[in-house]
Amino acid sequence: MPADASLFDTLTARGFVHLVSNSDGLRAALARPLTFYVGFDPTAPSLHSGHLIPLALAAHLTRAGHRAVLLAGGGTGLIGDPTDRAETRSLQSRAQVQANTQAIRRQVSRLVAQNELDVALVDNADWLTELRYLEFLRSVGRHFSVNELLATETYRARLASGQGLNFVEINYRLLQAYDFLHLYRERGCRLQIGGSDQWANILAGVHLVRRIEGAEAFGLVTPLLTTATGEKMGKTAGGAALWLDAALTSPYDFFQYWVNVEDGAVPQALALLTTLPMAEVRALSSRRGADRRQAKQRLAAEVTALVHGAEAAAAALESSHALFGAGGGSAAAAPLTTLAASELAAGVPILDLLQTAGLAASRSAARRLVVQGGAYVNNRRVDDPGAVVDARDFHDGELLLRSGKKRFHRVRADGA
RNA sequence: GGGUCGGUGGGUGAGUGGUUAAAACCACCAGACUGUAAAUCUGGCGCCUUUACGGCUACGUAGGUUCGAAUCCUACCCGGCCCA
């Protein structure tokens, strides 16, 4: 598909454009294939929901014929981005950063392959670790005013709150700006995209490219996904982050997260996270009342497919229907714990079972759950904390455990 | 390096020798109402057990004073600010 000038308008219509350094300039630049980049810092071994929008935008751009460079921050990760952090982030060990960087590279490669995108993967450690301090100060440092740096929200908030600001943290922005310069030189990269929190960092890169190369580079940031009350989205039921790694957040849980988002978040999520045509997004968004759940299921199916593949998404959908719907279908994608037949023979106290299944963090928590009437075995409430589960509770070798209304867990009897 | 203030539970933040497992708020869990939504109301929210006004652990770390310490003392670690 050839790049075209209307791409910018399409992206705007979908809501991707929160801020742009020069909208007319970028609109014109997008008329021809252009190289852009987006960076991910290795603060964890997996990307999370916050990365979805920039990834989706990268996919749109790539499909329109632009070249993507996905950057893993193996170098900047050694410093740590202070943006939106109330206090100084303790430095991660080199080993930790390396491990996370590797994990993220693998994950990104998989995402890219799964969605058949043609992108380049780079790691800024490859050039940042070789920087020479004096040289860096003379060539890059002199283009930045400390007054201006301190005036930006990130740093100003820190100073105002009296939380202090480490020298290392001030340097983060310069390193990210240097990344942009480096990619401009090495790959002709002219656009950096990111979440809205990255605005100042991205502009610093635009500034540096202009100062040193006398060329115009562009910056574009996307909005953050928020709830109706303006809170950042992306926390799972347990309060944990919504990871894109299936080992950290299973496709089923990932799917359920989207089914459970609040009504007000659906239109934005459909437009930003799925590739559905806008006409369909609008149609789904117009569903009201209970019908809105169908829009959420569609959203969940689409996003899960992008992240975990069509097959995993289909399995998650089927399991969701099986557990919440009028029955039928397989709950195979739902979380599962296997019990040895020997354990089961003696009977397993319900409190232990809830804890083993991860539906309760401790036996105390499991006891509270039962006492408060939130524990179910095979959809029948258990109100005796001393209850014991045995083989008779298993049907076809399986038992369905539930906490509250919507957290399910399957227990399978092994060797029975 | 000197001075000074401070480090409390997932978060913010009270508490300055004795019903303090630690106020309040947020987050979170469960119940009710619902649409696997939101809002609202109710209960809960360190761990363990034979569930008891029981036991254990906890207020940066390690010691000490005391019948008794998050609260006092000492050393150390970490952070803010001021001076250098």
Side-chain angles (χ1 to χ4, degrees), chain A residues 344-351 353 377 382 384-393:
Chain A
L344 192 59
V348 181
I350 184 69
L351 299 186
L353 193 57
V377 169
V382 177
D384 174 16
V388 171
V389 164
D390 61 33
R392 283 167 300 181
D393 297 303

Side-chain angles (χ1 to χ4, degrees), chain A residues 95-316:
Chain A
Q96 187 70 63
V97 171
Q98 245 168 43
N100 288 347
T101 303
Q102 287 313 309
I104 286 175
R105 287 194 69 145
R106 277 196 298 276
Q107 184 172 41
V108 169
S109 311
R110 203 178 48 69
L111 278 172
V112 158
Q114 187 169 286
N115 290 288
E116 299 176 338
L117 299 175
D118 182 22
V119 310
L121 270 177
V122 298
D123 178 352
N124 63 12
D126 291 346
W127 56 87
L128 293 183
T129 48
E130 286 168 8
L131 280 180
R132 304 216 165 208
Y133 194 54
L134 290 177
E135 213 173 291
F136 183 75
L137 288 180
R138 288 176 59 90
S139 64
V140 174
R142 71 191 176 92
H143 294 296
F144 289 91
S145 144
V146 171
N147 308 37
E148 272 181 44
L149 280 175
L150 295 183
T152 56
E153 185 57 26
T154 309
Y155 299 128
R156 198 183 52 199
R158 267 308 179 75
L159 292 175
S161 72
Q163 263 301 321
L165 186 60
N166 198 285
F167 182 65
V168 171
E169 300 180 89
I170 293 218
N171 282 274
Y172 183 89
R173 182 162 300 160
L174 301 210
L175 292 178
Q176 187 166 330
Y178 182 77
D179 281 345
F180 202 165
L181 176 66
H182 177 88
L183 292 174
Y184 173 82
R185 285 171 170 163
E186 301 295 313
R187 295 168 179 270
C189 176
R190 295 181 59 210
L191 166 68
Q192 180 181 177
I193 62 175
S196 61
D197 55 319
Q198 289 301 308
W199 184 235
N201 290 336
I202 290 174
L203 280 188
V206 170
H207 169 79
L208 191 63
V209 170
R210 177 167 51 238
R211 289 303 296 271
I212 293 188
E213 299 294 327
E216 178 165 27
F218 303 96
L220 184 162
V221 291
T222 66
L224 296 176
L225 267 190
T226 55
T227 64
T229 49
E231 291 163 74
K232 270 196 208 178
M233 285 180 63
K235 293 298 178 191
T236 58
L242 187 69
W243 301 109
L244 306 195
D245 183 333
L248 297 174
T249 298
S250 74
Y252 169 80
D253 287 329
F254 187 85
F255 181 94
Q256 282 299 309
Y257 173 84
W258 297 105
V259 170
N260 282 301
V261 297
E262 60 177 72
D263 289 2
V266 174
Q268 191 196 16
L270 281 169
L272 294 173
L273 303 179
T274 74
T275 50
L276 297 174
M278 278 308 279
E280 194 165 355
V281 168
R282 277 189 288 271
L284 286 167
S285 298
S286 68
R287 301 287 187 88
R288 289 289 178 270
D291 278 352
R292 180 147 278 216
R293 199 172 59 241
Q294 287 162 16
K296 293 181 190 180
Q297 283 169 341
R298 189 64 196 280
L299 167 69
E302 292 290 326
V303 182
T304 305
L306 288 176
V307 174
H308 294 296
E311 202 172 309

